[in-house]
Amino acid sequence: MTAPLPVCAGIGLRHPHYSQVLAQQQPLGWIELHSENFFDGGQPLAMLQQLAACYPLSLHGVGLGLGAAARPDATHLAALRRLLDAVPAVAVSEHLSFNHDASQRFANDLLPIPYTRAMLDLVAANVAEAQDALRRPLLIENLSSYLAYPGNDMHEGEFLAELVARTGCGLLLDVNNLYVNQQNLGTDVDAFLAALPPHAIGEIHLAGYTERTFDDGSTLLVDTHSRPVYPAVWQLYRQVIARFGARPTLIEWDIDIPPLDTLLAEAATAQAILDQHTEAAT
Amino acid sequence: MNETAWQHALLDAITTPQWQPDPRFPAAALAVYRNNYRVGLMEMLALVYPICRQLLGEDFFEALSREYVKATPSDSGNLHRYGGSFAGFVAAFEHTAHIGYLPDVARLEWALHRGYYAADATPLAIDTLAAIPQQHWGELRFSGHPACAVLDSPWPLADIHAHHQPATAGCAVDMATAQPLLLWRDSDGLMQLHQLAPGQAAFCQALLHGATLDDASAAGLAATPDFDLQAALLLVLQHGVLSAIKEPS
Amino acid sequence: MSATSKTLLVSALSAAIAMAAVSAPAAAADKEKCYGIAQAGKNDCAANGHSCAGQAKMDKDGAEWKFVAKGSCTKMNGTLEPMKK
């Protein structure tokens, strides 16, 4: 087992900033990249190896779909395994979502899953299979979703807590996702947080959403990762840190990606909140 | 199980080409997911096929990619694997079928894309080959480098490619010329195009498909009596086309 | 395979090996048409399609479009219609 992520702020590193971050050491505690972009080999893998030599690296998967009622795709899992053999990642994460069915039909998205006992059996088996294949625990991230299974018999926080108990996985707590779900679906934030096992939370995500209005006049907050973190999400983040303690925290920005300095400033804001907490605790 | 059925239904509702109201899913939420699915795949095609996009214009390409996505479900959780059948689609699609070279341009772009991400492999060492007794050379079979590909096309693919690169933008394209290509990955990990001489495409293709050196040589000679075997062998050795000698089966 | 072509292969490969040994492999070879790095990173969230986030762009569901090419295929080589083979 490698060392965990440093308890400080990092950024999701995307294509426009690869060369800048490689050319000069940036004031970053750690970086996170998407696993699938580095499957197989060539220049992308070589660059990732260079980055991993300069910064603690987290690999964030978007394609395994462990919340499917079907087993994980063996090809995808094998490719991820080869990647982890080739690159020293200190954290590996996936989402509590599905993207395929048993007939290998995929939607390349993060789709919400039912939170039921029967589903828990399937997802726990999938997570265990993935962790066995990868020979390491995963961090599983809570989802931003726009609809919910009508027959849920628990909420997402309880589901994640059960998943931790059954598989030994860790959790990646996306505070923006939680806020978006509160606004879109009426998720009870306090109940969600109260259900989580504090020791399991290995990483936190922050991002900005977009409000979208539809033909029928309804609105949804869409988790676009295209904006600065909203004040309400910063507020929720402070609550989360006060509740669980300081955790490695990532700024995600994936659309309309701003200059690196903007991302570093967002990360500095998160770092200041982490520092305040640490000072208050000592 | 209800949960499985629900996941199936949600996948159906997201991926079905024609929008249909579904009482099980709120319309606004479904609109978000349908948009994510479609735009994600369409943007992937725009990234994999930049020359096709320039050839047709952005609006045309976007509409074409929308039709392709409707007809072609994703079959991988890795987006980099989406779009491999685009060449066949544009060859048959009514508004692009008349553009004779378009499918081969799409094949070129797909091979460049897959080659860029392909697994690493050590090129065959000259010493390895030299150490094998000469009387066995003809029976040797090889594994090709995963990034390499041969495009045996009747179209001027090298010119069309160059016409759409920043450094050589707008250069002349002679539509009457065939330019078969070898694609290979250099030591910086960049894909390179090499225009093949007569017979070389057949020779390289045969080797990449696991033919013996004897059979590949025969394929080159069958393609043209002018086939220069020595030049062809030097080409594959210098461009790292071969990665290992296969054990005799 | 005839004896002649066996001889041909041996002499051709001997020569190719000798020539390949003195010229550095891929590095010295022709740097013809660079493909570039711009292709990297397409599974990134949303921006490049693979949503760990929602797409920002809205595509009209069921959009219809009249297919009239306006790209370089209309200008390349000065011909409006590409030659058919």
Side-chain angles (χ1 to χ4, degrees), chain A residues 7-252:
Chain A
V7 184
C8 56
I11 63 164
L13 184 61
R14 303 295 179 255
H15 185 239
H17 301 137
Y18 286 169
S19 53
Q20 201 178 346
V21 167
L22 266 178
Q24 191 183 3
Q25 187 80 27
Q26 304 290 333
L28 281 169
W30 52 286
I31 54 173
E32 184 168 278
L33 292 95
H34 290 127
S35 312
E36 286 79 4
N37 284 335
F38 306 94
F39 277 7
D40 300 331
Q43 194 180 53
L45 181 62
M47 191 208 64
L48 189 65
Q49 288 167 328
Q50 273 181 278
L51 284 168
C54 303
Y55 304 91
L57 172 71
S58 165
L59 285 174
H60 189 47
V62 293
L64 207 44
L66 295 172
R71 290 179 58 190
D73 176 23
T75 310
H76 199 101
L77 198 51
L80 182 55
R81 166 68 194 276
R82 286 194 300 275
L83 176 62
L84 297 178
D85 286 344
V87 180
V90 296
V92 182
S93 48
E94 287 283 338
H95 299 79
L96 185 63
S97 63
F98 85 101
N99 64 350
H100 68 286
D101 63 16
S103 65
Q104 290 297 100
R105 177 175 57 152
F106 281 80
N108 300 93
D109 199 351
L110 306 171
L111 304 176
I113 68 166
Y115 305 126
T116 64
R117 292 272 143 201
M119 199 69 221
L120 183 61
D121 291 341
L122 295 175
V123 179
N126 287 345
V127 170
E129 181 178 342
Q131 292 185 145
D132 286 349
L134 303 174
R135 297 184 194 164
R136 61 188 299 155
L138 293 168
L139 298 174
I140 303 295
E141 179 180 342
N142 60 302
L143 199 66
S144 57
S145 44
Y146 311 107
L147 53 78
Y149 179 67
N152 284 341
D153 49 40
M154 64 184 101
H155 61 68
E156 189 186 18
E158 292 168 327
F159 193 97
L160 285 166
E162 283 283 341
L163 206 55
V164 170
R166 292 197 191 192
T167 68
C169 72
L171 298 177
L172 195 176
L173 172 55
D174 190 313
V175 176
N176 184 62
N177 288 356
L178 183 55
Y179 179 77
V180 162
N181 287 355
Q182 180 193 45
Q183 300 300 309
N184 288 339
L185 303 173
T187 295
D188 182 336
V189 166
D190 287 333
F192 176 92
L193 293 175
L196 299 183
H199 71 274
I201 302 168
E203 181 180 338
I204 288 176
H205 274 182
L206 295 168
Y209 55 80
T210 304
E211 183 168 336
R212 192 171 293 166
T213 304
F214 295 86
D215 293 345
D216 61 4
S218 62
T219 60
L220 281 174
L221 303 189
V222 180
D223 178 29
T224 49
H225 298 183
S226 63
R227 311 257 320 145
V229 178
Y230 277 88
V233 175
W234 282 122
Q235 189 50 41
L236 183 53
Y237 174 63
R238 285 189 191 89
Q239 290 173 32
V240 162
I241 296 300
R243 178 171 202 137
F244 297 118
R247 291 290 192 278
T249 301
L250 188 87
I251 303 296
E252 284 189 300

Side-chain angles (χ1 to χ4, degrees), chain B residues 146-157:
Chain B
C148 280
V150 172
L151 285 154
D152 195 0
S153 169
W155 299 100
L157 290 183

